[in-house]
Amino acid sequence: MLAFAVLFDLDGTLTDPKLGITRCIQYALSELGYIPPDADELHWCIGPPLQDSFSQLLKTLDNTVIEQGISLYRRRFATIGLFENSLYPQIPEILKAIRFAGYKTFVATSKPYIYATLIIEYFGLSLLFDGVYGSELDGSRSVKGDLIQHILLTEKLLPSTVVMVGDRSHDIIAAKHHHIASIGVTYGYGTEEELKAHGADLIAHSPNDIPKLIIRK
């Protein structure tokens, strides 16, 4: 019997991390001597790898400078920003429904594994996932395609039996790269236009749409 599995992005899909992420970015930029943008101007930083975001924020490709920014971000995130976060409505219920239908569930996030695990535990979701996968603190596997490849190999999953659920273009791009189905969610930080433009197979406008689309898919 094939093991069907669903990979869930974390930020913008399971939880709304806006407060923590934007405050930590603002803190890092302030510490580096910059005037940080307002939180609403930092929505584009929610989802992509931090390396990419800080490269754009600091307008540099210098890894030393980028790592300074990330280090300052993590100084606040590890103790405060991590928990400035909230679950989207009905997330526990939809996870239970998907697992009841026989699917395995995994977290697949560009966020470091160590933080992703703490967040899943904080919200009491640990028993609703077969595994939590994220990047390493050195940045490896922060590219979603690399992470998905790692999950497929580690869990011995066939691409044809997997669905990726995420709110940003990089979730959809990574899914297509590995020939797995994708569901783009519009309640997070990506738009329907962004998701469709990169080839999302299906669109969920609320968490409650996800189980219906997965079971139909």
Side-chain angles (χ1 to χ4, degrees), residues 20-70:
I21 288 178
T22 56
R23 284 181 175 177
C24 290
I25 289 173
Q26 289 170 330
Y27 168 79
L29 293 177
S30 294
E31 289 292 301
L32 290 171
Y34 293 79
I35 297 174
D38 291 338
D40 288 342
E41 296 174 39
L42 293 170
H43 284 185
W44 61 272
C45 298
I46 300 173
L50 278 177
Q51 284 85 351
D52 296 349
S53 297
F54 272 97
S55 177
Q56 292 183 58
L57 287 164
L58 300 172
K59 296 181 172 59
T60 183
L61 295 175
D62 186 331
N63 280 330
T64 302
V65 177
I66 293 169
E67 286 303 320
Q68 275 185 305
I70 292 173

mmCIF file of all heavy atoms in Angstrom, residues 20-70:
data_model
loop_
_atom_site.group_PDB
_atom_site.id
_atom_site.type_symbol
_atom_site.label_atom_id
_atom_site.label_comp_id
_atom_site.label_asym_id
_atom_site.label_seq_id
_atom_site.Cartn_x
_atom_site.Cartn_y
_atom_site.Cartn_z
ATOM 1 N N GLY A 20 6.339 38.095 15.458
ATOM 2 C CA GLY A 20 7.691 37.699 15.839
ATOM 3 C C GLY A 20 8.725 37.966 14.768
ATOM 4 O O GLY A 20 9.802 38.509 15.036
ATOM 5 N N ILE A 21 8.417 37.598 13.529
ATOM 6 C CA ILE A 21 9.382 37.762 12.444
ATOM 7 C C ILE A 21 9.674 39.230 12.179
ATOM 8 O O ILE A 21 10.836 39.640 12.076
ATOM 9 C CB ILE A 21 8.882 37.058 11.167
ATOM 10 C CG1 ILE A 21 8.975 35.533 11.347
ATOM 11 C CG2 ILE A 21 9.684 37.504 9.942
ATOM 12 C CD1 ILE A 21 8.459 34.727 10.178
ATOM 13 N N THR A 22 8.617 40.040 12.094
ATOM 14 C CA THR A 22 8.851 41.452 11.767
ATOM 15 C C THR A 22 9.570 42.175 12.897
ATOM 16 O O THR A 22 10.454 42.997 12.649
ATOM 17 C CB THR A 22 7.532 42.173 11.424
ATOM 18 O OG1 THR A 22 6.599 42.032 12.503
ATOM 19 C CG2 THR A 22 6.918 41.587 10.159
ATOM 20 N N ARG A 23 9.230 41.869 14.137
ATOM 21 C CA ARG A 23 9.912 42.515 15.264
ATOM 22 C C ARG A 23 11.381 42.107 15.337
ATOM 23 O O ARG A 23 12.240 42.923 15.685
ATOM 24 C CB ARG A 23 9.200 42.178 16.580
ATOM 25 C CG ARG A 23 7.900 42.944 16.780
ATOM 26 C CD ARG A 23 7.262 42.601 18.106
ATOM 27 N NE ARG A 23 6.069 43.430 18.357
ATOM 28 C CZ ARG A 23 5.282 43.291 19.426
ATOM 29 N NH1 ARG A 23 5.551 42.365 20.333
ATOM 30 N NH2 ARG A 23 4.237 44.076 19.574
ATOM 31 N N CYS A 24 11.663 40.862 15.006
ATOM 32 C CA CYS A 24 13.055 40.396 15.048
ATOM 33 C C CYS A 24 13.877 41.020 13.916
ATOM 34 O O CYS A 24 15.058 41.334 14.102
ATOM 35 C CB CYS A 24 13.109 38.874 14.997
ATOM 36 S SG CYS A 24 12.507 38.100 16.526
ATOM 37 N N ILE A 25 13.270 41.194 12.760
ATOM 38 C CA ILE A 25 13.956 41.869 11.651
ATOM 39 C C ILE A 25 14.221 43.329 12.026
ATOM 40 O O ILE A 25 15.316 43.853 11.812
ATOM 41 C CB ILE A 25 13.125 41.777 10.356
ATOM 42 C CG1 ILE A 25 13.133 40.341 9.818
ATOM 43 C CG2 ILE A 25 13.676 42.740 9.289
ATOM 44 C CD1 ILE A 25 12.202 40.110 8.640
ATOM 45 N N GLN A 26 13.208 43.971 12.590
ATOM 46 C CA GLN A 26 13.368 45.366 13.002
ATOM 47 C C GLN A 26 14.481 45.509 14.044
ATOM 48 O O GLN A 26 15.286 46.436 13.977
ATOM 49 C CB GLN A 26 12.045 45.904 13.556
ATOM 50 C CG GLN A 26 10.974 46.100 12.484
ATOM 51 C CD GLN A 26 9.607 46.398 13.066
ATOM 52 O OE1 GLN A 26 9.281 45.949 14.168
ATOM 53 N NE2 GLN A 26 8.790 47.142 12.340
ATOM 54 N N TYR A 27 14.523 44.575 14.975
ATOM 55 C CA TYR A 27 15.570 44.585 16.004
ATOM 56 C C TYR A 27 16.954 44.454 15.367
ATOM 57 O O TYR A 27 17.878 45.208 15.684
ATOM 58 C CB TYR A 27 15.334 43.434 16.994
ATOM 59 C CG TYR A 27 16.502 43.183 17.924
ATOM 60 C CD1 TYR A 27 16.706 43.985 19.035
ATOM 61 C CD2 TYR A 27 17.405 42.140 17.672
ATOM 62 C CE1 TYR A 27 17.792 43.761 19.887
ATOM 63 C CE2 TYR A 27 18.481 41.907 18.516
ATOM 64 C CZ TYR A 27 18.668 42.726 19.615
ATOM 65 O OH TYR A 27 19.741 42.507 20.448
ATOM 66 N N ALA A 28 17.100 43.493 14.455
ATOM 67 C CA ALA A 28 18.390 43.254 13.809
ATOM 68 C C ALA A 28 18.847 44.478 13.022
ATOM 69 O O ALA A 28 20.017 44.893 13.110
ATOM 70 C CB ALA A 28 18.308 42.033 12.897
ATOM 71 N N LEU A 29 17.938 45.068 12.261
ATOM 72 C CA LEU A 29 18.298 46.238 11.461
ATOM 73 C C LEU A 29 18.671 47.423 12.355
ATOM 74 O O LEU A 29 19.628 48.152 12.069
ATOM 75 C CB LEU A 29 17.139 46.615 10.536
ATOM 76 C CG LEU A 29 16.810 45.605 9.424
ATOM 77 C CD1 LEU A 29 15.592 46.061 8.630
ATOM 78 C CD2 LEU A 29 17.993 45.400 8.493
ATOM 79 N N SER A 30 17.928 47.613 13.445
ATOM 80 C CA SER A 30 18.239 48.702 14.377
ATOM 81 C C SER A 30 19.621 48.526 14.985
ATOM 82 O O SER A 30 20.399 49.485 15.100
ATOM 83 C CB SER A 30 17.190 48.762 15.499
ATOM 84 O OG SER A 30 15.928 49.117 14.982
ATOM 85 N N GLU A 31 19.936 47.295 15.369
ATOM 86 C CA GLU A 31 21.244 47.001 15.967
ATOM 87 C C GLU A 31 22.383 47.248 14.976
ATOM 88 O O GLU A 31 23.498 47.573 15.372
ATOM 89 C CB GLU A 31 21.290 45.545 16.455
ATOM 90 C CG GLU A 31 20.426 45.274 17.681
ATOM 91 C CD GLU A 31 20.957 45.971 18.926
ATOM 92 O OE1 GLU A 31 22.096 45.709 19.311
ATOM 93 O OE2 GLU A 31 20.210 46.808 19.502
ATOM 94 N N LEU A 32 22.090 47.114 13.690
ATOM 95 C CA LEU A 32 23.099 47.352 12.649
ATOM 96 C C LEU A 32 23.151 48.822 12.227
ATOM 97 O O LEU A 32 23.942 49.186 11.356
ATOM 98 C CB LEU A 32 22.816 46.462 11.429
ATOM 99 C CG LEU A 32 23.067 44.960 11.616
ATOM 100 C CD1 LEU A 32 22.535 44.182 10.417
ATOM 101 C CD2 LEU A 32 24.550 44.674 11.820
ATOM 102 N N GLY A 33 22.285 49.640 12.846
ATOM 103 C CA GLY A 33 22.327 51.070 12.553
ATOM 104 C C GLY A 33 21.378 51.547 11.466
ATOM 105 O O GLY A 33 21.472 52.685 11.011
ATOM 106 N N TYR A 34 20.461 50.671 11.050
ATOM 107 C CA TYR A 34 19.492 51.041 10.023
ATOM 108 C C TYR A 34 18.185 51.486 10.669
ATOM 109 O O TYR A 34 17.869 51.083 11.794
ATOM 110 C CB TYR A 34 19.192 49.851 9.096
ATOM 111 C CG TYR A 34 20.336 49.412 8.233
ATOM 112 C CD1 TYR A 34 21.361 48.615 8.745
ATOM 113 C CD2 TYR A 34 20.400 49.771 6.889
ATOM 114 C CE1 TYR A 34 22.422 48.202 7.944
ATOM 115 C CE2 TYR A 34 21.457 49.355 6.084
ATOM 116 C CZ TYR A 34 22.459 48.579 6.622
ATOM 117 O OH TYR A 34 23.504 48.166 5.824
ATOM 118 N N ILE A 35 17.410 52.276 9.949
ATOM 119 C CA ILE A 35 16.045 52.596 10.371
ATOM 120 C C ILE A 35 15.151 51.509 9.771
ATOM 121 O O ILE A 35 15.018 51.424 8.546
ATOM 122 C CB ILE A 35 15.610 53.982 9.877
ATOM 123 C CG1 ILE A 35 16.509 55.065 10.492
ATOM 124 C CG2 ILE A 35 14.142 54.231 10.230
ATOM 125 C CD1 ILE A 35 16.256 56.456 9.949
ATOM 126 N N PRO A 36 14.573 50.658 10.602
ATOM 127 C CA PRO A 36 13.807 49.532 10.049
ATOM 128 C C PRO A 36 12.477 49.947 9.447
ATOM 129 O O PRO A 36 11.858 50.907 9.913
ATOM 130 C CB PRO A 36 13.596 48.634 11.270
ATOM 131 C CG PRO A 36 13.659 49.551 12.440
ATOM 132 C CD PRO A 36 14.621 50.643 12.073
ATOM 133 N N PRO A 37 12.019 49.221 8.423
ATOM 134 C CA PRO A 37 10.698 49.485 7.836
ATOM 135 C C PRO A 37 9.594 49.125 8.836
ATOM 136 O O PRO A 37 9.820 48.388 9.806
ATOM 137 C CB PRO A 37 10.647 48.555 6.628
ATOM 138 C CG PRO A 37 12.050 48.094 6.407
ATOM 139 C CD PRO A 37 12.719 48.136 7.727
ATOM 140 N N ASP A 38 8.386 49.641 8.585
ATOM 141 C CA ASP A 38 7.225 49.234 9.379
ATOM 142 C C ASP A 38 6.953 47.745 9.152
ATOM 143 O O ASP A 38 7.318 47.189 8.103
ATOM 144 C CB ASP A 38 5.987 50.034 8.957
ATOM 145 C CG ASP A 38 6.092 51.507 9.359
ATOM 146 O OD1 ASP A 38 6.868 51.819 10.285
ATOM 147 O OD2 ASP A 38 5.409 52.327 8.717
ATOM 148 N N ALA A 39 6.285 47.143 10.110
ATOM 149 C CA ALA A 39 5.988 45.704 10.022
ATOM 150 C C ALA A 39 5.249 45.339 8.737
ATOM 151 O O ALA A 39 5.542 44.316 8.110
ATOM 152 C CB ALA A 39 5.173 45.274 11.238
ATOM 153 N N ASP A 40 4.303 46.186 8.331
ATOM 154 C CA ASP A 40 3.515 45.875 7.138
ATOM 155 C C ASP A 40 4.344 45.910 5.852
ATOM 156 O O ASP A 40 3.915 45.391 4.824
ATOM 157 C CB ASP A 40 2.335 46.843 7.009
ATOM 158 C CG ASP A 40 1.251 46.573 8.043
ATOM 159 O OD1 ASP A 40 1.247 45.464 8.619
ATOM 160 O OD2 ASP A 40 0.419 47.465 8.280
ATOM 161 N N GLU A 41 5.516 46.518 5.914
ATOM 162 C CA GLU A 41 6.405 46.552 4.755
ATOM 163 C C GLU A 41 7.361 45.361 4.727
ATOM 164 O O GLU A 41 8.198 45.246 3.833
ATOM 165 C CB GLU A 41 7.214 47.857 4.762
ATOM 166 C CG GLU A 41 6.369 49.116 4.598
ATOM 167 C CD GLU A 41 7.193 50.378 4.763
ATOM 168 O OE1 GLU A 41 8.344 50.404 4.283
ATOM 169 O OE2 GLU A 41 6.704 51.339 5.379
ATOM 170 N N LEU A 42 7.202 44.472 5.703
ATOM 171 C CA LEU A 42 8.108 43.316 5.812
ATOM 172 C C LEU A 42 7.397 41.992 5.556
ATOM 173 O O LEU A 42 7.976 40.931 5.773
ATOM 174 C CB LEU A 42 8.766 43.295 7.199
ATOM 175 C CG LEU A 42 9.737 44.449 7.487
ATOM 176 C CD1 LEU A 42 10.136 44.444 8.965
ATOM 177 C CD2 LEU A 42 10.981 44.332 6.607
ATOM 178 N N HIS A 43 6.157 42.042 5.077
ATOM 179 C CA HIS A 43 5.414 40.800 4.822
ATOM 180 C C HIS A 43 6.168 39.886 3.859
ATOM 181 O O HIS A 43 6.087 38.655 3.976
ATOM 182 C CB HIS A 43 4.032 41.109 4.234
ATOM 183 C CG HIS A 43 3.061 41.607 5.254
ATOM 184 N ND1 HIS A 43 1.736 41.838 4.958
ATOM 185 C CD2 HIS A 43 3.209 41.930 6.563
ATOM 186 C CE1 HIS A 43 1.108 42.272 6.045
ATOM 187 N NE2 HIS A 43 1.985 42.351 7.017
ATOM 188 N N TRP A 44 6.870 40.457 2.896
ATOM 189 C CA TRP A 44 7.573 39.652 1.887
ATOM 190 C C TRP A 44 8.691 38.809 2.506
ATOM 191 O O TRP A 44 9.154 37.846 1.892
ATOM 192 C CB TRP A 44 8.145 40.553 0.789
ATOM 193 C CG TRP A 44 9.156 41.555 1.277
ATOM 194 C CD1 TRP A 44 8.909 42.808 1.763
ATOM 195 C CD2 TRP A 44 10.571 41.383 1.337
ATOM 196 N NE1 TRP A 44 10.072 43.436 2.124
ATOM 197 C CE2 TRP A 44 11.115 42.573 1.869
ATOM 198 C CE3 TRP A 44 11.433 40.341 0.983
ATOM 199 C CZ2 TRP A 44 12.483 42.754 2.071
ATOM 200 C CZ3 TRP A 44 12.808 40.511 1.179
ATOM 201 C CH2 TRP A 44 13.315 41.706 1.724
ATOM 202 N N CYS A 45 9.106 39.137 3.735
ATOM 203 C CA CYS A 45 10.161 38.372 4.407
ATOM 204 C C CYS A 45 9.630 37.107 5.081
ATOM 205 O O CYS A 45 10.417 36.290 5.567
ATOM 206 C CB CYS A 45 10.846 39.232 5.467
ATOM 207 S SG CYS A 45 11.681 40.697 4.825
ATOM 208 N N ILE A 46 8.313 36.965 5.146
ATOM 209 C CA ILE A 46 7.721 35.814 5.836
ATOM 210 C C ILE A 46 7.620 34.646 4.861
ATOM 211 O O ILE A 46 6.828 34.675 3.925
ATOM 212 C CB ILE A 46 6.339 36.168 6.417
ATOM 213 C CG1 ILE A 46 6.478 37.318 7.416
ATOM 214 C CG2 ILE A 46 5.707 34.949 7.085
ATOM 215 C CD1 ILE A 46 5.162 37.874 7.924
ATOM 216 N N GLY A 47 8.438 33.649 5.078
ATOM 217 C CA GLY A 47 8.436 32.468 4.210
ATOM 218 C C GLY A 47 9.776 32.143 3.606
ATOM 219 O O GLY A 47 10.313 31.059 3.818
ATOM 220 N N PRO A 48 10.365 33.078 2.832
ATOM 221 C CA PRO A 48 11.656 32.779 2.192
ATOM 222 C C PRO A 48 12.778 32.595 3.213
ATOM 223 O O PRO A 48 12.655 33.029 4.366
ATOM 224 C CB PRO A 48 11.912 34.027 1.335
ATOM 225 C CG PRO A 48 10.576 34.664 1.157
ATOM 226 C CD PRO A 48 9.816 34.370 2.410
ATOM 227 N N PRO A 49 13.892 31.961 2.800
ATOM 228 C CA PRO A 49 15.046 31.820 3.696
ATOM 229 C C PRO A 49 15.550 33.183 4.177
ATOM 230 O O PRO A 49 15.536 34.160 3.428
ATOM 231 C CB PRO A 49 16.094 31.132 2.813
ATOM 232 C CG PRO A 49 15.302 30.410 1.767
ATOM 233 C CD PRO A 49 14.105 31.290 1.511
ATOM 234 N N LEU A 50 15.998 33.231 5.431
ATOM 235 C CA LEU A 50 16.500 34.481 6.003
ATOM 236 C C LEU A 50 17.673 35.052 5.210
ATOM 237 O O LEU A 50 17.832 36.276 5.113
ATOM 238 C CB LEU A 50 16.946 34.255 7.455
ATOM 239 C CG LEU A 50 15.862 34.283 8.531
ATOM 240 C CD1 LEU A 50 16.483 33.979 9.885
ATOM 241 C CD2 LEU A 50 15.142 35.621 8.560
ATOM 242 N N GLN A 51 18.503 34.163 4.667
ATOM 243 C CA GLN A 51 19.654 34.643 3.885
ATOM 244 C C GLN A 51 19.190 35.541 2.740
ATOM 245 O O GLN A 51 19.784 36.589 2.490
ATOM 246 C CB GLN A 51 20.458 33.457 3.327
ATOM 247 C CG GLN A 51 21.325 32.737 4.347
ATOM 248 C CD GLN A 51 20.555 31.676 5.126
ATOM 249 O OE1 GLN A 51 19.324 31.582 5.033
ATOM 250 N NE2 GLN A 51 21.254 30.878 5.899
ATOM 251 N N ASP A 52 18.127 35.123 2.059
ATOM 252 C CA ASP A 52 17.607 35.898 0.931
ATOM 253 C C ASP A 52 17.023 37.227 1.409
ATOM 254 O O ASP A 52 17.254 38.277 0.800
ATOM 255 C CB ASP A 52 16.527 35.102 0.188
ATOM 256 C CG ASP A 52 17.079 33.835 -0.456
ATOM 257 O OD1 ASP A 52 18.316 33.676 -0.506
ATOM 258 O OD2 ASP A 52 16.270 33.007 -0.885
ATOM 259 N N SER A 53 16.261 37.164 2.505
ATOM 260 C CA SER A 53 15.619 38.375 3.007
ATOM 261 C C SER A 53 16.639 39.415 3.458
ATOM 262 O O SER A 53 16.543 40.596 3.117
ATOM 263 C CB SER A 53 14.679 38.038 4.171
ATOM 264 O OG SER A 53 13.631 37.198 3.730
ATOM 265 N N PHE A 54 17.640 38.969 4.225
ATOM 266 C CA PHE A 54 18.628 39.928 4.726
ATOM 267 C C PHE A 54 19.539 40.445 3.612
ATOM 268 O O PHE A 54 20.007 41.582 3.674
ATOM 269 C CB PHE A 54 19.441 39.333 5.882
ATOM 270 C CG PHE A 54 18.790 39.547 7.229
ATOM 271 C CD1 PHE A 54 18.029 38.561 7.804
ATOM 272 C CD2 PHE A 54 18.910 40.761 7.879
ATOM 273 C CE1 PHE A 54 17.397 38.766 9.027
ATOM 274 C CE2 PHE A 54 18.290 40.980 9.102
ATOM 275 C CZ PHE A 54 17.535 39.987 9.685
ATOM 276 N N SER A 55 19.761 39.639 2.605
ATOM 277 C CA SER A 55 20.537 40.112 1.460
ATOM 278 C C SER A 55 19.823 41.286 0.805
ATOM 279 O O SER A 55 20.443 42.304 0.454
ATOM 280 C CB SER A 55 20.743 38.982 0.450
ATOM 281 O OG SER A 55 21.438 39.449 -0.689
ATOM 282 N N GLN A 56 18.496 41.176 0.673
ATOM 283 C CA GLN A 56 17.722 42.262 0.069
ATOM 284 C C GLN A 56 17.570 43.446 1.024
ATOM 285 O O GLN A 56 17.684 44.602 0.616
ATOM 286 C CB GLN A 56 16.343 41.742 -0.341
ATOM 287 C CG GLN A 56 16.389 40.738 -1.487
ATOM 288 C CD GLN A 56 15.008 40.294 -1.925
ATOM 289 O OE1 GLN A 56 14.183 41.113 -2.314
ATOM 290 N NE2 GLN A 56 14.745 38.998 -1.849
ATOM 291 N N LEU A 57 17.322 43.156 2.294
ATOM 292 C CA LEU A 57 17.140 44.229 3.272
ATOM 293 C C LEU A 57 18.395 45.079 3.425
ATOM 294 O O LEU A 57 18.329 46.299 3.552
ATOM 295 C CB LEU A 57 16.763 43.634 4.640
ATOM 296 C CG LEU A 57 15.345 43.074 4.777
ATOM 297 C CD1 LEU A 57 15.246 42.190 6.004
ATOM 298 C CD2 LEU A 57 14.320 44.205 4.857
ATOM 299 N N LEU A 58 19.552 44.403 3.410
ATOM 300 C CA LEU A 58 20.825 45.102 3.607
ATOM 301 C C LEU A 58 21.485 45.490 2.290
ATOM 302 O O LEU A 58 22.573 46.073 2.283
ATOM 303 C CB LEU A 58 21.773 44.216 4.431
ATOM 304 C CG LEU A 58 21.261 43.845 5.837
ATOM 305 C CD1 LEU A 58 22.168 42.809 6.486
ATOM 306 C CD2 LEU A 58 21.167 45.084 6.716
ATOM 307 N N LYS A 59 20.824 45.101 1.183
ATOM 308 C CA LYS A 59 21.321 45.416 -0.161
ATOM 309 C C LYS A 59 22.781 44.997 -0.334
ATOM 310 O O LYS A 59 23.643 45.775 -0.746
ATOM 311 C CB LYS A 59 21.168 46.915 -0.452
ATOM 312 C CG LYS A 59 19.707 47.375 -0.478
ATOM 313 C CD LYS A 59 19.601 48.858 -0.791
ATOM 314 C CE LYS A 59 18.151 49.274 -1.005
ATOM 315 N NZ LYS A 59 17.290 49.024 0.158
ATOM 316 N N THR A 60 23.033 43.739 0.000
ATOM 317 C CA THR A 60 24.401 43.226 -0.096
ATOM 318 C C THR A 60 24.399 41.727 -0.388
ATOM 319 O O THR A 60 23.432 41.025 -0.075
ATOM 320 C CB THR A 60 25.177 43.479 1.213
ATOM 321 O OG1 THR A 60 26.527 43.019 1.060
ATOM 322 C CG2 THR A 60 24.560 42.727 2.390
ATOM 323 N N LEU A 61 25.495 41.254 -0.996
ATOM 324 C CA LEU A 61 25.717 39.824 -1.193
ATOM 325 C C LEU A 61 26.842 39.341 -0.275
ATOM 326 O O LEU A 61 27.251 38.182 -0.349
ATOM 327 C CB LEU A 61 26.079 39.539 -2.654
ATOM 328 C CG LEU A 61 24.978 39.838 -3.688
ATOM 329 C CD1 LEU A 61 25.507 39.630 -5.106
ATOM 330 C CD2 LEU A 61 23.758 38.951 -3.454
ATOM 331 N N ASP A 62 27.342 40.249 0.576
ATOM 332 C CA ASP A 62 28.444 39.939 1.494
ATOM 333 C C ASP A 62 27.928 39.024 2.606
ATOM 334 O O ASP A 62 27.146 39.440 3.465
ATOM 335 C CB ASP A 62 28.996 41.234 2.089
ATOM 336 C CG ASP A 62 30.235 41.010 2.947
ATOM 337 O OD1 ASP A 62 30.363 39.914 3.533
ATOM 338 O OD2 ASP A 62 31.063 41.934 3.048
ATOM 339 N N ASN A 63 28.361 37.764 2.588
ATOM 340 C CA ASN A 63 27.866 36.794 3.558
ATOM 341 C C ASN A 63 28.165 37.168 4.997
ATOM 342 O O ASN A 63 27.399 36.845 5.902
ATOM 343 C CB ASN A 63 28.433 35.400 3.259
ATOM 344 C CG ASN A 63 27.680 34.710 2.137
ATOM 345 O OD1 ASN A 63 26.486 34.945 1.952
ATOM 346 N ND2 ASN A 63 28.359 33.869 1.382
ATOM 347 N N THR A 64 29.271 37.859 5.221
ATOM 348 C CA THR A 64 29.632 38.264 6.585
ATOM 349 C C THR A 64 28.592 39.240 7.135
ATOM 350 O O THR A 64 28.143 39.111 8.284
ATOM 351 C CB THR A 64 31.026 38.918 6.611
ATOM 352 O OG1 THR A 64 31.970 37.989 6.078
ATOM 353 C CG2 THR A 64 31.435 39.282 8.028
ATOM 354 N N VAL A 65 28.202 40.195 6.300
ATOM 355 C CA VAL A 65 27.202 41.184 6.715
ATOM 356 C C VAL A 65 25.840 40.518 6.886
ATOM 357 O O VAL A 65 25.116 40.782 7.858
ATOM 358 C CB VAL A 65 27.116 42.325 5.681
ATOM 359 C CG1 VAL A 65 26.029 43.320 6.066
ATOM 360 C CG2 VAL A 65 28.456 43.035 5.547
ATOM 361 N N ILE A 66 25.488 39.646 5.954
ATOM 362 C CA ILE A 66 24.204 38.939 6.025
ATOM 363 C C ILE A 66 24.130 38.102 7.297
ATOM 364 O O ILE A 66 23.114 38.105 8.007
ATOM 365 C CB ILE A 66 23.997 38.062 4.771
ATOM 366 C CG1 ILE A 66 23.827 38.944 3.531
ATOM 367 C CG2 ILE A 66 22.787 37.135 4.948
ATOM 368 C CD1 ILE A 66 23.893 38.184 2.217
ATOM 369 N N GLU A 67 25.210 37.401 7.612
ATOM 370 C CA GLU A 67 25.233 36.556 8.813
ATOM 371 C C GLU A 67 25.142 37.386 10.092
ATOM 372 O O GLU A 67 24.585 36.924 11.092
ATOM 373 C CB GLU A 67 26.491 35.683 8.830
ATOM 374 C CG GLU A 67 26.444 34.522 7.848
ATOM 375 C CD GLU A 67 25.246 33.590 8.069
ATOM 376 O OE1 GLU A 67 24.914 33.326 9.236
ATOM 377 O OE2 GLU A 67 24.653 33.157 7.072
ATOM 378 N N GLN A 68 25.681 38.606 10.064
ATOM 379 C CA GLN A 68 25.528 39.496 11.216
ATOM 380 C C GLN A 68 24.059 39.783 11.470
ATOM 381 O O GLN A 68 23.584 39.743 12.604
ATOM 382 C CB GLN A 68 26.252 40.828 10.959
ATOM 383 C CG GLN A 68 27.724 40.837 11.298
ATOM 384 C CD GLN A 68 28.301 42.239 11.123
ATOM 385 O OE1 GLN A 68 28.180 42.841 10.055
ATOM 386 N NE2 GLN A 68 28.918 42.767 12.161
ATOM 387 N N GLY A 69 23.350 40.095 10.387
ATOM 388 C CA GLY A 69 21.920 40.369 10.491
ATOM 389 C C GLY A 69 21.148 39.168 11.009
ATOM 390 O O GLY A 69 20.292 39.294 11.900
ATOM 391 N N ILE A 70 21.446 37.994 10.466
ATOM 392 C CA ILE A 70 20.758 36.770 10.883
ATOM 393 C C ILE A 70 21.049 36.450 12.349
ATOM 394 O O ILE A 70 20.157 36.048 13.105
ATOM 395 C CB ILE A 70 21.159 35.589 9.974
ATOM 396 C CG1 ILE A 70 20.604 35.816 8.555
ATOM 397 C CG2 ILE A 70 20.649 34.260 10.538
ATOM 398 C CD1 ILE A 70 21.070 34.796 7.543
#
